[in-house]
Amino acid sequence: MPSMFLGSFTLTPYQVAQMYQTLTNSGRKAELSALRSVIDLDGNVLYESIPRVKQTVDQQAAWLTTYAMKRGVMEGTGRYLNNRFAWAALAGKTGTSNDTRDSWFVGVDGREVTTIWLGRDDNKPTKLTGSSGALRVYSDYLESRIPEKLSLPWPRGITTVGVRALPEGALEIDCASQTKLPVWDVNQTFKQHCENQSKGWIQNLFDWN
């Protein structure tokens, strides 16, 4: 998840909400609007906002981003939510500016994307991180507006492969590893690589004699 999205780059809550609406909607951007409709006293619709949806991010890239956000709630900086709403399978992203002036959280359930920003009028440090400030506000919000479960259907081109951590913190493919993660495998390169390794091991077993 690029850190510039929350905390280290100047963005308005509206802009942040638009970005995460796109990312968590399979890469399909729908222009946000503060006005949904205008209806007169007789029930006639005078105006209605019907945003046009446009694919602006590859579906697989958007899916992997949303998956990472769900993992962030399960075991990362957003895990406070998982203790209270595990059944909803929420996705989320915390954000904190380097000087703690800004506390951000974007939360996603099956109904909506919610962006929370906390900051001071005088622009002084809040001494709040994304998880100790904005996330707690979102959690309180969900107490009043019960979330809907967030489902994440797998798109084409995503393969689960074994990985292992390197000393410097990076990950590399290790087909035999018990740790599995989804990857964008356009030509099924990773999948075929691991399948070939499995076939080679079985062949060696029979050729041993």
Side-chain angles (χ1 to χ4, degrees):
M1 181 73 62
S3 63
M4 67 173 287
F5 279 1
L6 283 180
S8 59
F9 194 75
T10 302
L11 294 169
T12 67
Y14 183 90
Q15 291 172 315
V16 171
Q18 182 69 81
M19 287 195 303
Y20 281 94
Q21 176 278 319
T22 303
L23 288 171
T24 59
N25 190 39
S26 298
R28 299 189 298 270
K29 179 180 180 180
E31 290 289 344
L32 300 182
S33 174
L35 183 62
R36 179 174 297 178
S37 63
V38 177
I39 302 174
D40 66 17
L41 294 176
D42 296 322
N44 300 310
V45 178
L46 305 179
Y47 169 81
E48 187 173 14
S49 174
I50 305 177
R52 295 182 178 179
V53 178
K54 181 180 180 181
Q55 191 79 37
T56 58
V57 177
D58 288 320
Q59 182 183 14
Q60 293 81 2
W63 187 94
L64 287 169
T65 302
T66 307
Y67 174 86
M69 292 173 64
K70 287 171 73 73
R71 298 289 296 190
V73 171
M74 289 177 61
E75 56 191 9
T77 56
R79 60 186 177 276
Y80 176 83
L81 285 176
N82 203 51
N83 294 333
R84 307 181 74 180
F85 305 101
W87 58 269
L90 302 171
K93 179 70 176 72
T94 59
T96 310
S97 54
N98 293 333
D99 49 12
T100 67
R101 288 185 307 168
D102 306 282
S103 171
W104 288 92
F105 188 75
V106 174
V108 186
D109 73 344
R111 175 175 52 230
E112 62 191 6
V113 175
T114 305
T115 301
I116 307 290
W117 171 79
L118 300 180
R120 291 171 56 110
D121 291 341
D122 58 10
N123 213 29
K124 291 182 179 179
T126 63
K127 298 182 181 180
L128 294 170
T129 64
S131 58
S132 67
L135 181 148
R136 303 304 175 100
V137 175
Y138 180 65
S139 179
D140 289 344
Y141 167 70
L142 292 183
E143 290 289 349
S144 300
R145 183 173 172 79
I146 303 302
E148 292 185 6
K149 185 175 181 179
L150 176 62
S151 61
L152 193 61
W154 283 57
R156 294 180 180 179
I158 297 294
T159 300
T160 301
V161 297
V163 297
R164 65 184 179 92
L166 298 176
E168 62 271 21
L171 296 175
E172 73 172 5
I173 300 298
D174 181 359
C175 300
S177 173
Q178 295 299 311
T179 302
K180 308 292 184 182
L181 287 176
V183 297
W184 189 357
D185 195 8
V186 179
N187 299 315
Q188 295 191 327
T189 303
F190 296 119
K191 182 178 180 180
Q192 292 175 3
H193 171 70
C194 289
E195 287 179 349
N196 289 338
Q197 281 197 1
S198 298
K199 292 177 181 178
W201 180 85
I202 294 175
Q203 185 63 47
N204 290 336
L205 180 65
F206 283 101
D207 291 345
W208 185 72
N209 292 323

